[in-house]
Amino acid sequence: MDILIMVGQLILGLTILVGLHELGHMLTAKWFGMRVEKYAIGFPPKVFSKKFGETEYMLGLIPLGGFVKISGMVDESMDTEALKEEPKPWEFRAKPAWQRLIVMMGGIIVNVITGIVIFIALTYTYGEQYIPAKEVKYGIVANELGQEIGFQTGDKVVAVNGKELERFEDIRSMDALLGSNSYYTVERNGQLVDLKVPVDLMDKLADNKSQVFFVEPRMPFKVGQVVKGSAASKAGLQEGDFITMINGESVKFFHEFQEALKANAGKAITMTVERNDKLVKLKAEVSEDGTIGFQAVPLLQTATREYSLAEAIPMGTDQAFSVITANLKGFGKIFRGEVSASKSLSGPIGIAQIFGDTFNWYKFWSITGMLSMVLAFMNFLPIPALDGGHVVFLTYEMISGRKPSDNFLENAQKVGMVLLLGLMAFAIFNDVFKIIF
């Protein structure tokens, strides 16, 4: 069931984004009087098709892309027979270069608009929930990766790249993770200490998926919902209880409680619980995976900033374009050899894992908005067979006044298809490799 939820979200997200991307190409082509032979979401084999007017609308079984077949255009269909004849007025090749350029940019533009609209809607609807840095008064918990960077449990993070930290979440901002010469400033034993961010931090995060958040706030907690039939329920733990000790050892913070349970996995423990200003001792059996079955409620105060529509528009737009900025920085690190391409790139399996095995509308639309901007960015790359490749050739034609030959465009398309198929195969193999190893 978990896999079905992941796959379902992936297919829904890609269907929306690919459908809108190809719609951008189709509408601009029809606007300039070009004949659109086919509009397809997904690749063959065909699941459904219906012809309206001159255009066949198709749904393919393989939901990893889509295409629009425009008459007189060298594209991934490699249908070049019609190109041997004189251009017809309704063909792509018969139109001025500026019109063809707009058609090729249509999908990218629609994806950018889609990403911006999604982030504006999310900002306006949900606002911005965060932990104010001043609320993390007990400092942070540094896991193994955090300690490798130089953090120590109890540190208080006061600045990122010299800028005062206002929201705790900004510790994981793209500026910090992907910037050049990034560093954190922490307060430790009354002194300020700078911690340089390793250039290969993204690789280390990819290697340690369980430690994506390399530091967390030291979190006081209380007992939330207790799972019926669990060890916590059988022990008599109640919602609203405060667990203060495990086997006589203090557990003021949630990470201390988790560590105590892991140390006693598969064993019985004695918990000291504060309930209605009284101390109660309970005995519970810890499972082999170090849990007893209740939801912890963090006791750090979060803040929510609400935005009017006028405020949400620039904020959402900035969030959308920050995705492209992050991609540019990420590619820069790959080209400089600071991070590994195999650890940074994900295919459909990796994207499905990002969606996760539970469905949440906010998370779904956040990821879909991010993917819309990524799709726009990737399609703008100057690779033949991608929109960006066509844009390069059309820009050359507009500047030089000379159109590349159909034979050159056909061969470039073949090279581009080989590159794209190779990249797709690499991404899928890479996803499988990361799952297995």
Side-chain angles (χ1 to χ4, degrees):
M1 188 64 183
D2 292 346
I3 294 176
L4 289 178
I5 293 174
M6 284 193 289
V7 172
Q9 291 186 87
L10 173 67
I11 292 175
L12 177 59
L14 287 182
T15 299
I16 293 170
L17 296 181
V18 170
L20 290 172
H21 179 91
E22 301 303 337
L23 185 66
H25 291 310
M26 183 180 73
L27 292 180
T28 49
K30 286 179 175 288
W31 183 25
F32 292 123
M34 301 176 194
R35 179 173 293 175
V36 178
E37 300 174 16
K38 183 177 289 187
Y39 167 84
I41 301 176
F43 295 122
K46 183 188 303 183
V47 174
F48 167 83
S49 72
K50 182 71 175 178
K51 191 167 186 177
F52 293 98
E54 64 189 21
T55 306
E56 178 190 4
Y57 297 86
M58 188 196 90
L59 181 65
L61 182 63
I62 303 174
L64 298 179
F67 61 94
V68 168
K69 180 72 176 72
I70 303 173
S71 297
M73 175 182 170
V74 179
D75 58 13
E76 59 271 11
S77 68
M78 300 308 296
D79 180 12
T80 58
E81 286 301 314
L83 300 181
K84 298 176 182 178
E85 303 176 4
E86 287 297 314
K88 307 296 192 301
W90 60 81
E91 289 186 337
F92 178 85
R93 59 183 174 151
K95 301 298 180 179
W98 68 270
Q99 292 185 5
R100 286 179 276 138
L101 180 63
I102 291 175
V103 171
M104 296 317 305
M105 289 291 294
I108 295 173
I109 292 170
V110 167
N111 279 133
V112 170
I113 292 173
T114 300
I116 291 172
V117 169
I118 288 174
F119 281 109
I120 289 174
L122 290 174
T123 302
Y124 177 69
T125 304
Y126 294 96
E128 182 183 21
Q129 190 173 64
Y130 61 94
I131 301 175
K134 63 182 180 181
E135 281 296 319
V136 190
K137 56 179 78 76
Y138 304 104
I140 56 95
V141 180
N143 61 25
E144 183 179 346
L145 180 54
Q147 292 170 19
E148 192 175 327
I149 296 171
F151 287 103
Q152 295 181 11
T153 296
D155 285 348
K156 294 181 181 179
V157 184
V158 297
V160 177
N161 293 337
K163 182 181 179 181
E164 183 181 357
L165 187 69
E166 296 181 358
R167 308 182 316 164
F168 182 78
E169 289 78 3
D170 288 341
I171 291 175
R172 302 186 287 266
S173 70
M174 289 299 103
D175 284 341
L177 300 182
L178 295 175
S180 299
N181 301 315
S182 294
Y183 65 98
Y184 298 104
T185 303
V186 302
E187 181 184 330
R188 180 183 298 163
N189 301 323
Q191 295 184 327
L192 296 180
V193 180
D194 288 339
L195 305 176
K196 183 176 174 58
V197 177
V199 294
D200 60 347
L201 177 57
M202 296 303 291
D203 272 0
K204 293 178 178 179
L205 289 173
D207 287 336
N208 295 274
K209 293 182 179 179
S210 62
Q211 298 185 9
V212 171
F213 304 138
F214 45 89
V215 295
E216 292 285 0
R218 278 215 289 190
M219 192 87 69
F221 72 103
K222 67 177 180 179
V223 176
Q225 182 178 5
V226 178
V227 178
K228 290 183 179 179
S230 66
S233 176
K234 293 175 182 177
L237 198 64
Q238 298 178 11
E239 186 172 348
D241 285 348
F242 295 88
I243 301 174
T244 60
M245 302 183 82
I246 299 290
N247 291 341
E249 298 289 333
S250 174
V251 287
K252 182 178 180 180
F253 304 110
F254 187 61
H255 77 280
E256 295 173 337
F257 174 72
Q258 288 180 306
E259 290 170 0
L261 290 189
K262 288 179 181 178
N264 290 279
K267 302 177 183 178
I269 59 169
T270 300
M271 298 185 293
T272 302
V273 172
E274 183 180 329
R275 180 185 299 163
N276 299 325
D277 296 326
K278 295 181 180 179
L279 295 180
V280 180
K281 289 194 175 183
L282 306 174
K283 290 188 176 182
E285 295 287 336
V286 182
S287 68
E288 293 294 337
D289 61 356
T291 62
I292 58 174
F294 74 91
Q295 183 178 12
V297 177
L299 296 180
L300 292 183
Q301 293 294 320
T302 60
T304 301
R305 180 180 175 183
E306 296 183 351
Y307 294 90
S308 66
L309 182 58
E311 292 172 324
I313 290 173
M315 177 64 70
T317 302
D318 182 66
Q319 289 178 344
F321 279 102
S322 70
V323 175
I324 293 179
T325 303
N327 272 270
L328 287 170
K329 290 181 178 179
F331 270 92
K333 281 184 172 287
I334 290 174
F335 291 139
R336 291 193 299 271
E338 295 176 356
V339 298
S340 166
S342 63
K343 294 176 181 177
S344 302
L345 299 178
S346 293
I349 298 174
I351 296 172
Q353 290 176 321
I354 293 173
F355 276 109
D357 56 9
T358 57
F359 187 82
N360 175 280
W361 278 114
Y362 178 82
K363 183 179 180 182
F364 171 80
W365 284 114
S366 295
I367 296 172
T368 302
M370 176 194 70
L371 289 177
S372 189
M373 300 303 292
V374 170
L375 184 60
F377 172 78
M378 295 299 291
N379 267 283
F380 195 62
L381 294 176
I383 300 174
L386 288 178
D387 297 342
H390 290 282
V391 169
V392 169
F393 298 141
L394 287 166
T395 303
Y396 166 80
E397 179 183 344
M398 293 172 68
I399 293 174
S400 68
R402 297 192 302 272
K403 179 181 178 181
S405 69
D406 289 339
N407 185 56
F408 171 82
L409 293 175
E410 181 182 345
N411 289 327
Q413 190 75 15
K414 290 177 181 177
V415 171
M417 288 298 295
V418 171
L419 289 174
L420 289 181
L421 290 174
L423 181 61
M424 179 62 73
F426 170 77
I428 294 174
F429 173 80
N430 193 43
D431 285 345
V432 175
F433 182 84
K434 285 189 285 190
I435 290 174
I436 295 175
F437 299 100

